[in-house]
Amino acid sequence: MAAAATLVVFEVFSFTAGAVAQYPGFSLASSNIHAVVGNPCGLANKVLVETDPNASMMQPLVGDQFSTFTNGARGFVPNGVGDVMSPDEQEETSSIAKSFGDKSGTGESATQTGGAPLPYGLDAATTPELGTYGEEQPADLVTGWYRLPAQHDRSDIVSIAAAGRIQAVGPNNGYVGGEPVEIEYGSTDSPTSAHALGRVTPIDIGPAPSWRNLRVPLDRIPATANVIRIVAKDHNLDPQRWVALTPPRIPKTHTLNDLVGSKQPVLLDWAVGLQFPCQRPFDHKDGIAQVPGWRILPNRLGAADTTMWESHAGGGPLGWSQQLLRSQTLATYLAFDWDQDWGELQRLAPIDPSAVPATPAVTQETHSGMWSPGHIYTW
């Protein structure tokens, strides 16, 4: 009896300590407490979604987006992007991008000069992109300066859509090897010039070399700084060691719960279902599945399993949805836990927008328990 009581006390203490350590971020304990007091939506209230990253672009101190980003480049060239498929996506059954027949995993059009697509809905017409893939010389990049928001707005992050192998801070403050990419912060000397004060290494939750968002919490940048720029280099001539970058953003976000809500049909991977109780799984009626408008996946390791289970080979819903729908991965973040790979949110849209759903003909028949429609054939 005493041993059981001790075990219960230890478990409750551990549960509480975890919640305190992760506060104000998400934890199972805080989620359960919120549910008891009438806010049961769990992780959906902590996942932040950047619905329009083009509106989140930081403004240059001088010049336009393209000149500010590209004028300080040597060896960083437009469309210098290699294969962005990560190692866990090499097999058909575990490819998140291939699960909906979209090789880029983004559903986006190519960049201005016809190269690799930009991720997350970034507009190639207004978003410069530079990379080192295919270059046979050392590459360096020092962008122009971008204005930081006012100090009282610095509760969020700087985000940079990037691909390749990048030296960064990984999950749980681990080290990620690769080519150096840093945020240099500074202070303006005049309306058109600034001087550097220091640098900070971004967080990279991976996986490399896929497109993902590097993050720098704004509270890591001193209050005396009012501008930032990107400083990067790639002096490694190994063709697999390339870097691709886009300009910095201050994400304008909505919670997943506000965006998806509880009425739209969702393809909820089984690994995340319990953490999104307010999102509605797509219906089945009369043997016909409702077409989902969203898919919520777990983190990369978990998504490899759920995608395989839900695939055509596994007899799951991806077997028919990939024939109908194209996916677009949205930029998402876990509030106050910027280094956590919480999972992925995909917006699903018809491949053929003009397709009209068929109207099923449903009939009802009543039969006795002894009724037989005919012989059962065996092979």
Side-chain angles (χ1 to χ4, degrees), residues 312-368:
H312 172 79
L318 298 184
W320 53 264
S321 63
Q322 67 181 356
Q323 306 297 322
L324 302 174
L325 304 170
R326 177 179 289 110
S327 70
Q328 180 193 53
T329 298
L330 276 66
T332 57
Y333 315 88
L334 187 58
F336 306 108
D337 280 329
W338 309 117
D339 63 346
Q340 293 299 320
D341 177 11
W342 75 269
E344 186 174 325
L345 176 66
Q346 294 179 348
R347 178 186 282 120
L348 309 181
I351 294 175
D352 182 2
S354 64
V356 178
T359 302
V362 180
T363 60
Q364 295 184 355
E365 298 181 8
T366 302
H367 299 280
S368 72

Side-chain angles (χ1 to χ4, degrees), residues 72-94:
R74 181 179 66 87
F76 277 81
V77 297
N79 303 316
V81 184
D83 184 0
V84 295
M85 190 175 292
S86 60
D88 64 340
E89 295 177 327
Q90 297 300 322
E91 296 297 330
E92 184 74 27
T93 55
S94 66

Side-chain angles (χ1 to χ4, degrees), residues 186-241:
S187 178
T188 52
D189 300 314
S190 72
T192 60
S193 64
H195 65 275
L197 297 175
R199 297 183 182 181
V200 59
T201 301
I203 297 167
D204 182 3
I205 67 169
S210 303
W211 280 110
R212 67 271 192 197
N213 283 303
L214 307 180
R215 306 103 187 269
V216 173
L218 285 173
D219 59 11
R220 297 186 184 179
I221 297 176
T224 53
N226 58 5
V227 289
I228 65 166
R229 63 184 177 186
I230 299 174
V231 178
K233 64 181 179 180
D234 179 6
H235 292 183
N236 190 326
L237 301 185
D238 183 337
Q240 301 302 315
R241 296 291 290 266

Side-chain angles (χ1 to χ4, degrees), residues 19 41 56 65 82 88 107 142 151 168 176 204 248 262 284 286 296 329 350 360 369:
C41 294
S56 301
Q65 287 287 356
D88 64 340
V142 180
Q151 183 62 29
V176 178
D204 182 3
S262 57
H284 288 81
D286 300 319
I296 301 177
T329 298

